[in-house]
Amino acid sequence: MKKLRTVDLTFGAVFVCLMAIGANITVWFPMLAVPIGGAAVPLSLQTFFATIAGLMLGKRIGAISMITYILVGMAGVPVFAQMKAGPMQLISPTGGFIISFIFVAFFAGLVAERSNKPSVPMYGLASIVGLMFNYGIGVTYMYVAMNTWLELNISYGVAWVSMIPFLIKDTGLAFLAVLFMVSLAKRVPSRWLSTAKA
């Protein structure tokens, strides 16, 4: 297994901080809400940063940075949404979305690593794959939580419908992630990107 470099640890730590900022950006700036369907959807940037972590750092370092983020939050540091912390956040109805960030970074990074060079189609596919894991895991977990320990008895379809505004918002942010990575690929040495071959 390839050893972790100092720069890998540094970039991983940066993304732990970015995840904490992305989870709580509307705490500091309440006006940052996206109006969708008459509702104000909080501009959480966690999925965006988890995707960027995978695209930039690759599947291994990207996933490790997300695991570290979760462990920091479970240890009591308020890095989760609404400045919350502790292991109870993982068994809340939205806990599946937190867990899914590991898979978002891993599979987005996996797609990026299989490409020979950065491109809009490649980053687009990687971002969509990450988004699918984000909502596939998150919504399924929420459905199970609401129908078991919360005893709310909702259907799987209702669980998905309730997340449509957030899915629209995160789809738009996934597109921004693609544009960001394409721009970044033109400005930084290829060895810093997940598409660089060992």
Side-chain angles (χ1 to χ4, degrees):
M1 181 180 292
K2 186 179 178 181
K3 292 183 178 180
L4 292 176
R5 303 170 298 171
T6 301
V7 69
D8 294 329
L9 298 176
T10 301
F11 282 147
V14 167
F15 275 96
V16 172
C17 297
L18 289 174
M19 288 293 290
I21 293 171
N24 294 290
I25 192 167
T26 50
V27 172
W28 303 303
F29 304 100
M31 73 291 296
L32 292 179
V34 181
I36 299 177
V41 179
L43 189 63
S44 167
L45 299 177
Q46 290 172 293
T47 303
F48 173 81
F49 286 130
T51 302
I52 293 293
L55 297 180
M56 182 176 175
L57 307 181
K59 64 180 188 295
R60 181 168 170 245
I61 307 302
I64 289 174
S65 67
M66 295 302 106
I67 293 171
T68 304
Y69 164 71
I70 294 173
L71 292 177
V72 168
M74 290 179 64
V77 181
V79 295
F80 297 143
Q82 299 179 346
M83 302 297 290
K84 293 182 179 179
M88 289 300 293
Q89 297 305 309
L90 295 186
I91 62 173
S92 70
T94 57
F97 287 97
I98 298 175
I99 296 170
S100 76
F101 295 137
I102 300 171
F103 298 89
V104 172
F106 181 87
F107 285 100
L110 178 64
V111 173
E113 287 178 356
R114 289 179 178 274
S115 174
N116 292 322
K117 64 178 182 178
S119 66
V120 171
M122 181 274 289
Y123 285 136
L125 176 61
S127 297
I128 291 172
V129 169
L131 194 62
M132 289 173 58
F133 276 96
N134 183 215
Y135 278 83
I137 295 172
V139 175
T140 301
Y141 190 100
M142 182 175 67
Y143 166 75
V144 172
M146 288 184 170
N147 284 275
T148 52
W149 52 88
L150 293 183
E151 300 181 347
L152 295 179
N153 193 29
I154 67 167
S155 69
Y156 192 54
V158 169
W160 270 102
V161 169
S162 68
M163 298 305 298
I164 287 178
F166 299 92
L167 179 58
I168 294 173
K169 179 261 298 181
D170 284 325
T171 300
L173 289 174
F175 178 71
L176 289 180
V178 173
L179 297 181
F180 173 80
M181 285 303 302
V182 170
S183 177
L184 184 68
K186 296 177 181 178
R187 291 172 168 78
V188 301
S190 61
R191 66 179 180 276
W192 301 125
L193 300 177
S194 60
T195 49
K197 304 302 180 183

